[in-house]
Amino acid sequence: DMLQATGIATVAIMSAPIEFQAYRPRFEALIADIKNRGLKLHLVNQMDYKSRLSLIGLKNPLQTLFPPSKSKILSYETSWMQVYASYKPDFLTVIAEPSNLNLKMRVGLIDIDWNTIITSLVQTVKSISPQTQVWVDLVPATGIMDYYMGTSSTMISGLDGIGWDIYGTDGQAVLKQLVPVEVNAGKLVGATETWWNPLYADPIYDNPDYAPLEAAWFQNLMDAAQKNNV
């Protein structure tokens, strides 16, 4: 009720598959509520850190003693795209932050490997829910794999959008360089995850006194988005 009263049109649910599996009835109730209210649904497939999962007694099957193979990653992710797509979301992020996934799983996949995985996941989603917009989320930092995928992922057929996870102003130069390339390639571009950087770095700022600074951050982000067709 509170979110809808603010005028928000889309609600995103960010969850690791293992969390979704453990609390599936709760997630399904939330999904049903979002749809019943006429809001748009964005599901984000986000592998979580082992430390957070351990707090609730869960272990991600891809975070194992030995790094998983590309085929194992694809098989696991495909099975979950089949689940997520069955809810017919308006938007579905099939992979979030590939560079961080490499670190979490201790694998050395390059952008070609991830693009192959994403291509297959896009096909899986579209075969179940053709109207769902399929996205990939990247981190705007120079030198990491996400940076190179900002260009190479524009070649993925059926991928509707490329989202950027923006914290503070560090990635502005990357976005200025890559967003026009993505737009010219016919991809939708968006800020799929963001907040004012000090709040991310230090929870002490998470109080109403800093709301004006948070609001100013989002206003600047919206201004930049409108100028760059985001």
Side-chain angles (χ1 to χ4, degrees):
D1 290 337
M2 293 173 61
L3 282 176
Q4 198 164 25
T6 67
I8 283 179
T10 303
V11 176
I13 300 178
M14 304 174 68
S15 173
I18 191 66
E19 291 175 305
F20 193 95
Q21 183 179 34
Y23 301 102
R24 191 162 180 169
R26 297 185 185 181
F27 281 110
E28 289 184 335
L30 179 58
I31 289 171
D33 191 33
I34 291 169
K35 287 178 168 287
N36 289 338
R37 292 174 181 274
L39 298 170
K40 292 186 177 181
L41 172 65
H42 185 171
L43 295 179
V44 181
N45 175 35
Q46 186 179 60
M47 182 185 290
D48 217 326
Y49 291 97
K50 289 188 292 184
S51 58
R52 177 177 171 184
L53 290 174
S54 64
L55 292 176
I56 52 178
L58 300 175
K59 180 181 179 181
N60 196 305
L62 291 181
Q63 293 174 317
T64 55
L65 180 62
F66 298 102
S69 64
K70 185 171 75 170
S71 61
K72 184 176 181 179
I73 294 171
L74 177 58
S75 176
Y76 178 75
E77 299 292 358
T78 298
S79 68
W80 277 101
M81 289 309 103
Q82 293 169 339
V83 172
Y84 288 151
S86 70
Y87 297 104
K88 303 294 192 292
D90 299 281
F91 313 97
L92 175 52
T93 295
V94 293
I95 292 293
E97 302 183 357
S99 292
N100 282 334
L101 291 180
N102 273 357
L103 294 174
K104 294 174 186 179
M105 295 185 292
R106 305 188 314 285
V107 296
L109 301 183
I110 61 175
D111 61 334
I112 296 174
D113 297 321
W114 278 114
N115 286 338
T116 299
I117 291 174
I118 293 167
T119 297
S120 181
L121 297 180
V122 168
Q123 294 170 352
T124 297
V125 172
K126 293 292 188 179
S127 68
I128 298 170
S129 182
Q131 302 306 314
T132 295
Q133 283 190 14
V134 184
W135 287 63
V136 62
D137 291 359
L138 305 173
V139 176
T142 305
I144 66 172
M145 188 178 56
D146 289 23
Y147 170 79
Y148 301 105
M149 288 185 66
T151 299
S152 63
S153 61
T154 63
M155 305 298 292
I156 299 177
S157 177
L159 181 68
D160 297 293
I162 299 170
W164 291 98
D165 296 349
I166 304 170
Y167 299 98
T169 59
D170 294 345
Q172 287 188 353
V174 172
L175 295 173
K176 185 176 181 180
Q177 175 188 359
L178 295 182
V179 166
V181 175
E182 295 160 354
V183 172
N184 290 336
K187 301 300 183 185
L188 299 171
V189 183
T192 43
E193 185 178 327
T194 187
W195 48 33
W196 178 54
N197 195 57
L199 177 60
Y200 174 67
D202 191 343
I204 194 173
Y205 293 105
D206 190 10
N207 69 70
D209 292 341
Y210 292 93
L213 293 177
E214 183 81 5
W217 160 250
F218 277 97
Q219 185 62 59
N220 289 336
L221 190 66
M222 287 298 299
D223 292 344
Q226 291 174 350
K227 291 178 182 178
N228 293 284
N229 297 315
V230 174

